[in-house]
Amino acid sequence: MEVMAVSGDGVWVPAVDFTEREDSLLAGTLSVPLPSFLTAEEALGVVESAGRVIAWATSVKMRALARVGEAIGEESPPRAENQPVRFGGDEAHALAVSEVSTACALSEGTAARWLNDAGDLATSQWEVLEAVEDGEISEAHARIILDQARSLPAGQSETFATMALQRTRTRHGRRRTPDHPTAPKPPPSEPPAF
């Protein structure tokens, strides 16, 4: 729920109280100055700060999603020997996908992608998750790095991730756009000749 507070200089500040709901595991309040009172430079500062909060929240979400997959696997009763094998034997993953899909109002395909990404980010691609958490890269950067790393032979994805993270910055230290963190774009295809 958004509430309004007044800062020391009399400016109305929108604030979000995360402890409003009884079932919330979030604690605290977050507030920013009302954008209509800001200069362009201050508004850009709020944009950058909001990006930092989003990056932190994304890393929290990914760590929690990875834990959902682990916990459901730990909490699921073992399959009895006479039970049929379902979902290729990975019933716990199928249940995790279903739970995330329902809880987050997502398609099962999107929930499965979130769980797969989170599992990779929490284990073999932990450097990428730390870069997201620190606000060094965006979720879009992380997804591109993950997709590229998955196409490599086993054992090369960690080395690739380290190199890809270095390439998310120009030599002047500016962050590249997500469509250019790891590899150049393919050349555009030529139109068909008639």
Side-chain angles (χ1 to χ4, degrees):
M1 171 181 190
E2 190 170 298
V3 295
M4 295 298 263
V6 180
S7 69
D9 57 1
V11 176
W12 283 94
V13 179
V16 178
D17 182 8
F18 292 108
T19 57
E20 172 194 81
R21 292 178 40 185
E22 285 183 27
D23 62 344
S24 177
L25 296 176
L26 299 174
T29 303
L30 178 66
S31 64
V32 296
L34 196 61
S36 58
F37 291 98
L38 302 177
T39 66
E41 183 177 343
E42 292 167 337
L44 280 173
V46 169
V47 169
E48 290 173 353
S49 296
R52 181 72 185 88
V53 170
I54 291 166
W56 173 81
T58 297
S59 73
V60 169
K61 177 179 77 174
M62 289 299 168
R63 290 181 202 283
L65 283 166
R67 182 59 191 147
V68 167
E70 289 174 357
I72 287 179
E74 294 166 1
E75 297 166 5
S76 296
R79 187 173 55 79
E81 192 174 309
N82 61 348
Q83 282 182 305
V85 175
R86 298 179 58 207
F87 305 107
D90 200 355
E91 291 94 350
H93 179 71
L95 180 57
V97 167
S98 179
E99 291 290 331
V100 169
S101 174
T102 301
C104 299
L106 301 170
S107 71
E108 286 195 350
T110 299
R113 178 165 181 113
W114 277 19
L115 283 164
N116 291 336
D117 288 354
D120 287 349
L121 288 169
T123 56
S124 63
Q125 301 297 326
W126 60 270
E127 286 181 280
V128 176
L129 184 56
E130 284 187 0
V132 171
E133 183 174 16
D134 293 342
E136 294 172 14
I137 64 171
S138 68
E139 184 176 3
H141 288 101
R143 180 159 290 119
I144 291 168
I145 292 170
L146 286 176
D147 288 345
Q148 294 290 320
R150 288 176 180 144
S151 69
L152 298 172
Q156 293 183 4
S157 63
E158 291 87 1
T159 305
F160 171 80
T162 300
M163 291 185 333
L165 286 170
Q166 291 169 354
R167 295 192 64 195
T168 60
R169 297 275 174 187
T170 67
R171 52 177 184 244
H172 300 294
R174 294 183 60 110
R175 187 166 44 174
R176 294 182 194 271
T177 58
D179 62 334
H180 190 285
T182 58
K185 286 184 179 181
S189 60
E190 295 182 337
F194 290 92

